[in-house]
Amino acid sequence: MAKRRSKLTSGMLAVVLAGTVALTGCGNSGEPSASPSSSPSEGKETNTADQPYKLNWLKGQDISKPYDYSKDVVKQAIEKKLNIEIVPEMVDVQQYKTKLNLKMTSGDIPDVVRIDFADDFQKYAQQGAFVDLTDLINEKDTPNIVKEVPADVFEQAMVNGKLYGIPYQGGPGAGYRWDLVMRTDLLGNTPVPTTLDDYYNLLKKIKAENPDVIPLGGYNAEVGQQKYANNSFDHIFGAFGVTPGFFTEANGKFSNYDIDPKMRDALLYLQKMYSEGLIDKEFATIKEEQLRTKLYSGKLFSWMGWWSTANDYDTQIETNLLKQSGELASDGSLPDQSNSPFKYLTLTGSLVGSDGTAVAPAGAPFNQMTAISVKTKDPAWVLQIIEDSLSLENQMLTVWGIEGEDYKIENDKMSVVTDLVDPKTMQDKDGNFRGIQSYLFAPGLKGWPRYLESLPLRHSQALDVAITNKYQITDASNFLDSPTKIAKLVELNTMRDSVFTQIIMGGDIKKFDEFVEKWKSQGGSQILSELEASFMKKQGK
């Protein structure tokens, strides 16, 4: 990457961007100042230093929770600090990918796009949807970006030798972030399972002793995106040494766990569990919020959970129990629980199979890209906004919110204020929403600033279980070139999700064998060949 980074001046940046806009630079304070660069072409719209940049933003939002962006004080603080006006278009977080793809196809592209790297980003980058940043990101003009993203990661993020975006991991680095979560009260004196056999026997025991409790819950997201399989049954697949969607490599030869014979065994095992009533009959149709309802009401024993959700779930369980007993406070709230040990939940990592091993699907060094639309009116200014947002001071704002309100620093120790927002209304005492981590430009590759010290006890315990999982593996296809993968993988994943669901729910296992042949013939074999060629090329062979 270093060889490709020319140290352009601000004026040269404007020239590279075709001279169609006036370039505005930003000082260390994050406030834009007038640029001495060349004037915009006649008739083109531009921004001035005293006029905030209007930034179109497609925002995924959990629609089960109240939110009004016009009353979000953190958003307003970010706008003031960066001299921008964010214009959000709200969309259900589970529909974000679909909505973004519709916008990309229609040409109605937001100014800044957060988009999955593996397929969508590469496809749209090659179609010319994003600004070429290859010569615009360098130590002189964008020192904050360069500090956040290592040069080798930039190299891996290139498409056809060009850089069309900034790699984004989305939090404290890469790795596995899921825990197997169980209700402690239902677990009783039974030891926490470490093997698949132990877990299976425990679920049988739960079913026998609590007929109205679902032993293992699951939920669906958008088909074709791996989320259904990985979230719900990660621990079962993993104990068989497979994980849906991941490509594998051995001695330069590639395959995919979706067509691995061990996947057949895993599906038969899940089918047995389903037939015995150990798996929620609605796992293939319900969304995460519906899974929560079953958990809160005491109808669910175990599930695979994102590490940060356990604290809220534990608190909500206690709230419901106190409500039932009539002991809940009149305002319906509990004191902050985040620094107390978990009361109702037990968390553990991977279950091992009969051979004593497992796999846990860890993320790549980055999984998304932040790209600038070629249709934005002032790409250079937008890049400068991103650059300024990555100063330490501005990252503290975009990640943690307003100092003294959302977080505090005392004796050089940071702590997050956890009782500022009413969990029912999602507003503070003044009626404000506080969307911290909602309007982020930060890559998050090295972890958000002061992240580890910010974690309360429960979050620390939950994250520790996830990141210390010793069975983590990465997808062998990460950052390799495969045009067919870009074109066909969603289709193949959608077919997989349909077939696997049918088998788990009692379908003939011959469907798996048929799926394997279709997977190969409908693009899978070509993907494997392209990955092998790309792998050899990167190996210099």
Side-chain angles (χ1 to χ4, degrees):
M1 180 67 193
K3 292 181 179 179
R4 296 184 176 92
R5 289 177 183 162
S6 60
K7 297 190 175 183
L8 303 180
T9 64
S10 294
M12 292 171 70
L13 277 170
V15 173
V16 170
L17 293 168
T20 61
V21 292
L23 182 67
T24 300
C26 298
N28 294 332
S29 66
E31 297 296 332
S33 57
S35 168
S37 64
S38 55
S39 299
S41 297
E42 185 177 356
K44 297 291 184 179
E45 183 180 3
T46 186
N47 284 82
T48 60
D50 59 353
Q51 177 186 359
Y53 191 98
K54 186 173 290 188
L55 199 73
N56 295 314
W57 188 292
L58 184 66
K59 185 181 188 314
Q61 186 72 22
D62 183 348
I63 62 173
S64 68
K65 297 180 180 180
Y67 179 70
D68 182 349
Y69 67 82
S70 68
K71 297 179 181 179
D72 188 335
V73 292
V74 177
K75 169 182 170 291
Q76 293 165 10
I78 293 170
E79 290 175 319
K80 181 178 180 181
K81 194 72 167 60
L82 297 176
N83 194 31
I84 58 178
E85 178 187 347
I86 298 174
V87 184
E89 179 179 349
M90 314 302 289
V91 60
D92 178 4
V93 67
Q94 295 191 26
Q95 297 298 319
Y96 175 85
K97 184 180 179 69
T98 298
K99 182 69 172 180
L100 179 58
N101 277 318
L102 288 173
K103 283 185 163 291
M104 297 297 299
T105 302
S106 68
D108 181 22
I109 310 173
D111 290 307
V112 177
V113 176
R114 180 73 52 73
I115 186 168
D116 290 343
F117 175 82
D119 307 305
D120 295 333
F121 172 78
Q122 296 179 69
K123 176 176 66 177
Y124 292 124
Q126 292 180 75
Q127 292 175 1
F130 307 129
V131 174
D132 181 359
L133 304 176
T134 311
D135 293 322
L136 307 185
I137 292 178
N138 56 77
E139 291 85 350
K140 178 180 183 296
D141 296 302
T142 57
N144 290 330
I145 294 175
V146 171
K147 181 180 179 181
E148 286 290 317
V149 184
D152 63 320
V153 173
F154 271 127
E155 292 284 354
Q156 294 172 3
M158 286 186 167
V159 176
N160 295 334
K162 293 184 179 295
L163 185 66
Y164 292 99
I166 303 167
Y168 178 84
Q169 176 60 42
Y176 191 63
R177 294 292 179 268
W178 298 91
D179 295 323
L180 173 57
V181 188
M182 296 166 284
R183 283 287 297 260
T184 304
D185 50 346
L186 295 174
L187 182 65
N189 295 323
T190 304
V192 176
T194 58
T195 70
L196 179 58
D197 287 344
D198 289 343
Y199 179 66
Y200 171 78
N201 292 330
L202 173 60
L203 296 190
K204 294 281 285 186
K205 178 174 180 286
I206 293 293
K207 178 72 174 176
E209 296 178 353
N210 306 273
D212 61 336
V213 172
I214 299 167
L216 170 59
Y219 68 94
N220 199 0
E222 294 183 69
V223 295
Q225 304 307 317
Q226 302 181 13
K227 192 172 183 181
Y228 126 71
N230 286 348
N231 281 16
S232 299
F233 307 130
D234 223 6
H235 53 314
I236 309 297
F237 287 122
F240 282 87
V242 293
T243 190
F246 267 43
F247 288 87
T248 63
E249 179 271 325
N251 300 317
K253 300 298 292 182
F254 278 71
S255 187
N256 188 291
Y257 279 133
D258 287 352
I259 60 173
D260 192 303
K262 292 180 293 185
M263 182 63 77
R264 192 180 196 275
D265 297 334
L267 289 170
L268 283 172
Y269 194 91
L270 284 163
Q271 185 183 79
K272 178 182 73 168
M273 294 177 66
Y274 183 86
S275 68
E276 294 174 351
L278 303 183
I279 295 176
D280 188 358
K281 299 297 184 184
E282 298 183 306
F283 81 88
T285 57
I286 64 172
K287 301 299 183 183
E288 185 178 12
E289 56 266 26
Q290 295 169 293
L291 183 77
R292 295 177 199 156
T293 300
K294 296 183 180 186
L295 167 68
Y296 298 159
S297 63
K299 302 299 183 182
L300 178 65
F301 169 65
S302 69
W303 76 101
M304 289 301 295
W306 184 248
W307 71 271
S308 63
T309 60
N311 172 60
D312 294 338
Y313 289 177
D314 198 291
T315 298
Q316 188 62 50
I317 292 170
E318 183 171 7
T319 300
N320 279 14
L321 290 172
L322 290 174
K323 184 184 298 183
Q324 294 171 12
S325 67
E327 300 176 15
L328 188 64
S330 58
D331 63 359
S333 64
L334 287 177
D336 176 28
Q337 306 286 302
S338 60
N339 278 303
S340 302
F342 286 106
K343 297 180 181 179
Y344 299 97
L345 300 179
T346 296
L347 284 62
T348 190
S350 289
L351 302 171
V352 299
S354 57
D355 60 355
T357 63
V359 298
F366 63 92
N367 54 14
Q368 294 178 317
M369 297 290 284
T370 297
I372 299 173
S373 166
V374 292
K375 295 196 174 184
T376 193
K377 65 191 177 202
D378 196 333
W381 195 340
V382 173
L383 179 61
Q384 191 64 58
I385 290 169
I386 296 173
E387 164 67 17
D388 289 338
S389 77
L390 297 183
S391 71
L392 177 59
E393 178 183 353
N394 289 337
Q395 283 198 61
M396 290 298 292
L397 174 61
T398 58
V399 173
W400 301 119
I402 301 170
E403 183 174 358
E405 298 178 23
D406 298 284
Y407 71 92
K408 297 178 181 178
I409 297 179
E410 298 174 347
N411 299 320
D412 201 35
K413 170 69 175 177
M414 174 187 163
S415 61
V416 176
V417 179
T418 57
D419 58 355
L420 186 61
V421 173
D422 185 322
K424 288 185 176 180
T425 66
M426 301 305 295
Q427 294 170 273
D428 62 22
K429 60 181 178 60
D430 297 318
N432 298 314
F433 292 92
R434 314 191 70 91
I436 61 172
Q437 300 170 18
S438 287
Y439 297 95
L440 283 175
F441 296 101
L445 288 173
K446 297 182 179 179
W448 295 331
R450 310 190 75 143
Y451 184 79
L452 293 178
E453 69 179 273
S454 73
L455 293 177
L457 177 63
R458 285 184 180 176
H459 281 73
S460 177
Q461 291 176 338
L463 182 58
D464 183 64
V465 170
I467 65 178
T468 57
N469 189 321
K470 65 180 181 180
Y471 299 107
Q472 297 183 51
I473 62 167
T474 56
D475 189 324
S477 70
N478 286 337
F479 318 125
L480 295 178
D481 296 325
S482 170
T484 307
K485 181 185 174 188
I486 294 173
K488 302 289 291 185
L489 190 61
V490 170
E491 177 184 326
L492 294 175
N493 287 348
T494 301
M495 177 171 61
R496 175 204 63 209
D497 287 353
S498 175
V499 172
F500 284 14
T501 300
Q502 292 175 49
I503 293 172
I504 292 170
M505 298 178 75
D508 193 328
I509 193 61
K510 290 181 180 178
K511 290 179 179 290
F512 176 77
D513 304 317
E514 295 168 358
F515 161 76
V516 170
E517 294 307 312
K518 288 181 180 179
W519 190 94
K520 292 177 180 178
S521 65
Q522 295 180 18
S525 292
Q526 183 63 26
I527 292 173
L528 300 181
S529 296
E530 291 170 359
L531 291 175
E532 289 167 9
S534 179
F535 178 81
M536 297 300 286
K537 183 178 180 180
K538 287 204 171 189
Q539 297 291 313
K541 299 179 181 179

